[in-house]
Amino acid sequence: VSSPSGVRSSIRGLREILVAVITRRGTTAQVNAIVTMCHAMAEGALRRKGHLMHIIQVHGLNISDLAFDTISDLFARNGDGEFPAMNAYFAAHDLSTITDEDAYFLLQRLALGRVRNGLFRLYGEMDPQLARILRNVKIATHSLGVFSEIDRPGESCLVPTLCETNQHLPAVEVELLSAWLGERASGTE
């Protein structure tokens, strides 16, 4: 529900909470609020991925556990009680000049990036060959320059560099794309 100022009540004051947590002035309740928000973002992103059942079965996790596993390093403290991963990310942004909405989107980008990295790590543990293939695709993408990698919330996408990216359009569902390719591919391509 939006407030009269346009700020969703669930993120009202988020910038101040982030500043407090990053500067070690945050209370336990404030740290828990950030953990809860990041977990909700991670769990939502994982629920949108239909291919996770194998990972969940192999690792004996549920979606909530997997969400915590992928974002846990964000909340690891160093000897001084700081959160190095969060500090490093937010050091590139002037938190004193952003809005609560901007703080939310920055936190979302951080959490979803950790989900993506965590899944890559889990894929690597399950299937080292798949991890090498994914790594080589990423390297080839960057070195050839024919495609560029963009971020859609929770997903890395490859787009051709020499044409319109159509990012304003909704993403194609994997099941629809698989069905479409299945109808057109004979298996010898």
Side-chain angles (χ1 to χ4, degrees):
V1 177
S2 293
S3 68
S5 66
V7 177
R8 290 183 57 121
S9 60
S10 61
I11 64 170
R12 189 175 305 128
L14 179 60
R15 185 189 65 79
E16 288 82 14
I17 293 171
L18 276 174
V19 169
V21 168
I22 289 170
T23 59
R24 294 183 308 171
R25 294 187 326 251
T27 64
T28 301
Q30 289 174 317
V31 172
N32 287 342
I34 299 296
V35 170
T36 300
M37 190 172 284
C38 287
H39 178 263
M41 292 172 190
E43 189 172 353
L46 291 169
R47 287 194 186 282
R48 288 188 297 271
K49 296 180 184 298
H51 60 282
L52 294 178
M53 288 314 296
H54 186 67
I55 288 178
I56 289 169
Q57 290 169 350
V58 167
H59 289 280
L61 302 171
N62 60 38
I63 294 285
S64 180
D65 293 340
L66 185 57
F68 276 123
D69 188 49
T70 58
I71 63 166
S72 62
D73 67 326
L74 288 176
F75 304 103
R77 293 181 190 252
N78 64 14
D80 296 328
E82 298 171 329
F83 299 103
M86 290 187 67
N87 288 359
Y89 177 77
F90 285 108
H93 306 282
D94 184 4
L95 293 180
S96 66
T97 62
I98 66 172
T99 64
D100 287 333
E101 290 92 348
D102 293 335
Y104 176 80
F105 289 117
L106 288 172
L107 188 62
Q108 180 184 46
R109 186 173 177 207
L110 175 63
L112 297 181
R114 293 302 167 136
V115 168
R116 190 172 45 249
N117 292 342
L119 287 177
F120 184 79
R121 179 181 46 80
L122 289 173
Y123 283 133
E125 291 172 5
M126 279 179 20
D127 189 347
Q129 290 177 332
L130 174 62
R132 278 194 296 272
I133 290 168
L134 293 174
R135 183 178 160 275
N136 288 339
V137 166
K138 203 169 225 184
I139 290 169
T141 299
H142 291 290
S143 64
L144 295 175
V146 176
F147 292 96
S148 62
E149 188 176 2
I150 61 166
D151 246 359
R152 288 183 81 133
E155 297 287 335
S156 283
C157 300
L158 295 177
V159 295
T161 55
L162 300 176
C163 65
E164 181 64 38
T165 63
N166 292 327
Q167 292 181 53
H168 62 286
L169 298 174
V172 175
E173 295 295 324
V174 173
E175 294 81 17
L176 292 175
L177 182 60
S178 295
W180 183 83
L181 288 172
E183 292 171 4
R184 287 158 180 76
S186 65
T188 59
E189 291 83 359

